[in-house]
Amino acid sequence: MSEHVYKVIEVVGSSTVSSDDAIRQAVIKSGKSLRNLDWFEVVETRGHIVDAKVAHFQVKIKVGFRLD
């Protein structure tokens, strides 16, 4: 079994659709500039309200990626 070392960053994804979609958007965008993404952890969920309706879901996640 090999050993790994990880770097962890925090990013916030946003979506008008759902909190799950906000997570997906954050992971997709992170994957465009980072390699070796391995895991994520939801840290915080919040939203933006307009006219008493949810306008955006915002999810802060920690993303772990393996260092070369």
Side-chain angles (χ1 to χ4, degrees):
M1 181 174 164
S2 61
E3 297 177 14
H4 299 291
V5 174
Y6 294 90
K7 172 82 175 165
V8 178
I9 62 166
E10 285 188 344
V11 295
V12 177
S14 179
S15 171
T16 58
V17 178
S18 68
S19 56
D20 285 350
D21 190 55
I23 294 167
R24 285 187 187 89
Q25 296 305 320
V27 171
I28 289 167
K29 189 71 168 184
S30 296
K32 290 182 179 180
S33 60
L34 300 170
R35 296 179 300 146
N36 302 323
L37 299 183
D38 272 359
W39 56 269
F40 74 89
E41 172 186 353
V42 174
V43 177
E44 183 178 327
T45 303
R46 61 179 178 265
H48 179 229
I49 300 170
V50 175
D51 296 327
K53 295 180 183 173
V54 175
H56 287 90
F57 297 88
Q58 299 168 334
V59 181
K60 182 191 296 184
I61 63 172
K62 290 183 180 181
V63 178
F65 57 98
R66 273 179 289 112
L67 298 176
D68 291 332

